[in-house]
Amino acid sequence: MSVYADYAATTPVKPEVIEAMMAIYKNHYGNPSSIHSQGRDARRFVDESRRIVAKYLNANPNEIIFTSGATESNNTAIKGIALAHQDRGKHLITTKIEHHSVLHVFEHLEKQGFEVTYLDVDENGLIDIEQLKQSLREDTILVSIMLVNNEVGTVQHIYDIQHIMSQSSAYFHMDAVQAIGHLEIDVNEFGVDALSLTAHKFGGPKGVGALYIKKGTHMQFLQHGGEQESKRRAGTENVAQIVGLSKALECAEKNRDRHNVHLALLKEQLIVGLQERSVPFELNGSMVDSTNHIINLYFPFIDVETLLTLLDLSGIYVSSGSACTAGSTIPSHVLAAMYKKSNRVTQSIRISLNEVMTIEDIKQIVIEIQKIYLKFKEDHT
């Protein structure tokens, strides 16, 4: 029996989402920018999808831009705000544990003459609110902090951050990619000026995302061509995928509480199962300040490459939670920031769960990890 447990990387498209998308492909194929009836028909689906996304973010529909995914949303928000306000300052703030689609943008801006402060995190993956407060300056124009970390599941103390940001003139961008379907998102309560999400993390298709931009936020839009998305994102809208995104979001939010209860049970079963079978491990991050769908575990008896390979051969599909280049696993920058001078960066895996998983799936993961542990214990005694 194989078990896929890498849902933080991507999720399968939900059947109801596929059904909604297929209806568009078959019957509503007009260009939403065309003024004839077929075009107006397609436009109706884009507009309705925008209203659905806005509803679940507590935003206005005209504050939502559809993009190709989280990478484009993050790039658009960070570059767009930074470049539009460099006349009043060139100081930016982010954290050391952001997704690479955020970190690499800040590294690029540093080469363009911007100064970036990278906030530290503790062993739970939480930023120091006081360091954020002390880092804000008069020339700080943008702060970007992710809500849920994609490797360890840490949830930042958003209301403490919002309180600090409310006393600053800096713009606030949030990567909320891993939060959708797990936490309630309210852009007004969070005090954000921009927020990124992508459909394939919550049962939607790959290649489509959304960006919330608060009304009145001045920014440069870097993609030129047509006047789509109210002149903010040139290019013909991908109607079917946009509909897929809104349908997936609707499903995720409708079932969020029920799914969270199930995920909490799966997470508990995984941890208790490993403990009962005497497999040595430690949790990376916090059991409290985290979502239930991401579990990052340190196994001191084996390196991550070997563990991932053996699990893959046994039909257990998880990840290291870090990027891979040319087939070699790069040590996690998230764990490196959380645990200074620790073997955790090279001996940890991410197991990410989904509501479709069962207790039997979790038992299978535990059994296979125990087999690997016993084999290594036997070989080293």
Side-chain angles (χ1 to χ4, degrees):
M1 182 180 88
S2 64
V3 179
Y4 179 84
D6 196 20
Y7 289 96
T10 197
T11 59
V13 182
K14 295 181 180 297
E16 53 265 61
V17 173
I18 295 175
E19 183 179 354
M21 292 174 63
M22 290 307 297
I24 300 299
Y25 284 124
K26 291 177 179 179
N27 305 312
H28 309 283
Y29 46 80
N31 187 319
S33 295
S34 298
I35 63 174
H36 51 61
S37 60
Q38 284 286 350
R40 296 196 305 273
D41 177 59
R43 171 56 55 190
R44 176 168 57 89
F45 285 95
V46 173
D47 290 343
E48 177 59 21
S49 295
R50 202 184 310 277
R51 283 191 289 271
I52 291 171
V53 173
K55 171 187 174 182
Y56 289 112
L57 299 183
N58 193 22
N60 293 318
N62 60 9
E63 295 175 313
I64 305 299
I65 298 173
F66 292 115
T67 69
S68 63
T71 295
E72 182 186 339
S73 291
N74 287 334
N75 271 258
T76 300
I78 297 167
K79 290 180 184 176
I81 292 174
L83 295 176
H85 296 275
Q86 57 184 322
D87 58 330
R88 72 175 182 86
K90 283 200 167 187
H91 181 236
L92 312 169
I93 298 175
T94 190
T95 82
K96 293 180 178 179
I97 62 168
E98 299 297 307
H99 189 271
H100 282 124
S101 64
V102 168
L103 286 177
H104 288 172
V105 178
F106 279 98
E107 291 167 6
H108 170 77
L109 289 171
E110 283 185 292
K111 296 175 183 177
Q112 308 305 310
F114 287 86
E115 178 188 352
V116 181
T117 296
Y118 295 92
L119 300 176
D120 295 314
V121 294
D122 62 18
E123 291 193 351
N124 289 319
L126 293 167
I127 67 165
D128 183 340
I129 297 297
E130 188 60 30
Q131 185 188 17
L132 170 62
K133 184 177 180 179
Q134 295 300 320
S135 297
L136 285 163
R137 311 184 322 210
E138 287 187 6
D139 63 337
T140 304
I141 56 176
L142 173 66
V143 176
S144 181
I145 299 175
M146 71 193 323
L147 180 55
V148 176
N149 184 264
N150 59 298
E151 293 195 22
V152 296
T154 296
V155 181
Q156 296 298 331
H157 294 171
I158 181 58
Y159 293 108
D160 292 339
I161 295 172
Q162 185 275 333
H163 177 69
I164 298 298
M165 292 303 301
S166 68
Q167 303 172 50
S168 169
S169 62
Y171 288 93
F172 181 21
H173 166 254
M174 175 183 290
D175 175 347
V177 166
Q178 293 290 348
I180 303 297
H182 304 284
L183 302 174
E184 182 176 359
I185 307 297
D186 189 320
V187 293
N188 293 307
E189 285 194 11
F190 290 179
V192 293
D193 300 290
L195 180 143
S196 305
L197 60 89
T198 188
H200 74 100
K201 302 295 187 179
F202 49 89
K206 299 176 182 66
V208 63
L211 173 63
Y212 160 79
I213 301 176
K214 184 178 180 180
K215 183 179 179 181
T217 301
H218 176 54
M219 59 188 294
Q220 286 189 20
F221 294 100
L222 308 178
Q223 188 160 308
H224 304 289
E227 298 186 353
Q228 292 87 357
E229 297 300 287
S230 300
K231 301 182 180 181
R232 297 172 297 182
R233 199 260 187 184
T236 302
E237 291 97 341
N238 190 331
V239 182
Q241 288 193 317
I242 287 171
V243 168
L245 182 152
S246 66
K247 186 65 176 179
L249 179 58
E250 196 171 44
C251 293
E253 289 301 308
K254 178 181 178 181
N255 300 297
R256 173 161 46 88
D257 291 342
R258 179 168 58 87
H259 289 168
N260 276 336
V261 170
H262 180 61
L263 290 170
L265 176 61
L266 296 181
K267 183 176 183 177
E268 179 184 18
Q269 288 293 317
L270 175 65
I271 292 173
V272 171
L274 290 169
Q275 291 172 335
E276 289 179 342
R277 291 172 180 269
S278 301
V279 178
F281 77 95
E282 292 179 31
L283 178 70
N284 293 322
S286 169
M287 278 291 290
V288 179
D289 296 304
S290 63
T291 60
N292 292 317
H293 76 297
I294 297 176
I295 309 160
N296 199 298
L297 300 176
Y298 163 53
F299 295 99
F301 58 90
I302 190 171
D303 65 83
V304 63
E305 292 91 344
T306 304
L307 180 55
L308 288 177
T309 300
L310 293 174
L311 286 173
D312 183 62
L313 290 171
S314 64
I316 305 298
Y317 310 126
V318 297
S319 74
S320 63
S322 59
C324 293
T325 304
S328 62
T329 305
I330 299 173
S332 165
H333 69 284
V334 174
L335 296 180
M338 291 169 60
Y339 303 100
K340 312 296 188 294
K341 299 180 181 179
S342 170
N343 289 336
R344 290 174 187 258
V345 296
T346 57
Q347 294 181 283
S348 298
I349 63 171
R350 179 186 70 183
I351 300 171
S352 48
L353 313 177
N354 186 270
E355 67 271 9
V356 301
M357 296 183 70
T358 67
I359 296 295
E360 291 304 313
D361 292 330
I362 299 300
K363 289 180 178 178
Q364 189 65 28
I365 293 172
V366 171
I367 288 171
E368 295 303 332
I369 292 177
Q370 183 196 31
K371 286 180 182 178
I372 294 169
Y373 167 59
L374 293 177
K375 181 68 170 76
F376 270 74
K377 184 178 179 181
E378 177 185 330
D379 291 345
H380 291 83
T381 55

